[in-house]
Structures are given as C-alpha cells and as structure tokens.
Amino acid sequence: MTLGSLWLLLARRTRLWMVGGTLAVLAGTALGLLSLTAFVDSGRSEPLALLPSMALSLGGGYAVLFPGISASRCNVRIHRNWRGHPRTGRFLWTLSLAVAVAGLGTCIAAGTVNPLAPGVLVWMFMGVYLALAGWATAIIGASAAARQDQPEPLRAGARVPGR
C-alpha cells in the first residue's frame, strides 16, 4: 500500500484539518524563531509576541493530532505490530519521539543559561511533535484499517469455503 492510497483512505474533511494544522504549525514555528532571535538579541522575552506562536503551534498541532487519531477505525497497537506498519508511519512516529526528546533536552539546557528561554522554545517543539505524531497515527491507523478490511490470504493446503 502506497502513501498516496493511504491518503485517499482519509476523509476529505480530515485531510483538510491535517493540512491546515500542519501549515499552522509551520507558521507558529516561524514566528517562534523570530521571537527567539529577538530574545537572544535583547535577553528579554515578550509574552505578547509569544502568543501568536503558541496559538498557531499548539492549535495546529492538535488540529493534526485529533483527526489523525480519529482516522483509525480499529485498535492499533504501535509496538506489537511495528513491522506490519508502513515505513512512512514508523519513520514519522520515531521522528516525533526524537523531536520530543530533543525539545526536552534543549529546554533543559536553555533553562540553565536563562530561566526565560524554555518558555520561548517549548511551543515550537511541542507543535512539531504533535503534528508528526498526528500524521504518523493517521498513516498507521489508515493502513491498519485497510488491512483489517481485506480478506485473509489463503495458505497452502487451506480449504476454500463453498468448495
């Protein structure tokens, strides 16, 4: 099953929410990088400048995550069926966990330098993590639902019903 065929399994409205949320996360991350450069230059954080970045990053991340979760119509076991999931879904799932760990490490390291720095950084990492996790969940869930809808393949020597 290709990524394009999995994309077609998602409902049109789900796809719109996920694409819109991804664009919002990208915009929020870009605004966060702008506020980060202003923070590095002045050493002070502007809370009103962080609000648009926070709203776009977190709002967009959840706009991807919730439809991604709802795309699965069956129980998905991420670790138990790891080899059965598409490579793209496994890659995005692993990448989302790497972004979460890198974000945590970066925020801890930045907090030792300046206690205001984690507040500037956390929204950027969190939005990207939520978006990646949402896309991974949608791909893995859609493929699991497609596998569940297909009839089981015949094994050698198995009897065909009705014959």
Side-chain angles (χ1 to χ4, degrees):
M1 182 162 279
T2 64
L3 189 57
S5 60
L6 289 174
W7 175 254
L8 294 175
L9 289 176
L10 299 175
R12 183 174 184 265
R13 192 169 180 173
T14 300
R15 289 184 285 193
L16 289 174
W17 272 103
M18 292 181 73
V19 168
T22 302
L23 293 174
V25 167
L26 292 174
T29 303
L31 286 174
L33 288 173
L34 291 174
S35 65
L36 180 63
T37 57
F39 173 75
V40 170
D41 290 341
S42 68
R44 291 183 47 228
S45 164
E46 285 292 326
L48 292 178
L50 293 175
L51 286 177
S53 172
M54 179 185 73
L56 286 170
S57 290
L58 290 180
Y62 284 118
V64 174
L65 183 66
F66 291 144
I69 291 171
S70 70
S72 176
R73 294 173 284 156
C74 57
N75 290 335
V76 176
R77 302 198 192 293
I78 297 291
H79 299 292
R80 183 179 293 171
N81 300 332
W82 184 254
R83 299 237 184 247
H85 299 313
R87 285 186 190 143
T88 308
R90 291 185 297 182
F91 173 74
L92 289 174
W93 186 261
T94 305
L95 186 61
S96 72
L97 294 177
V99 165
V101 170
L104 178 64
T106 302
C107 288
I108 290 171
T112 61
V113 175
N114 186 336
L116 298 176
V120 177
L121 294 170
V122 70
W123 310 122
M124 293 186 296
F125 285 105
M126 190 66 162
V128 173
Y129 162 73
L130 291 172
L132 288 171
W135 279 106
T137 304
I139 290 170
I140 290 172
S143 71
R147 280 193 312 265
Q148 197 173 41
D149 290 343
Q150 292 177 351
E152 218 174 291
L154 293 176
R155 292 179 204 87
R159 297 190 68 191
V160 178
R163 288 192 178 180

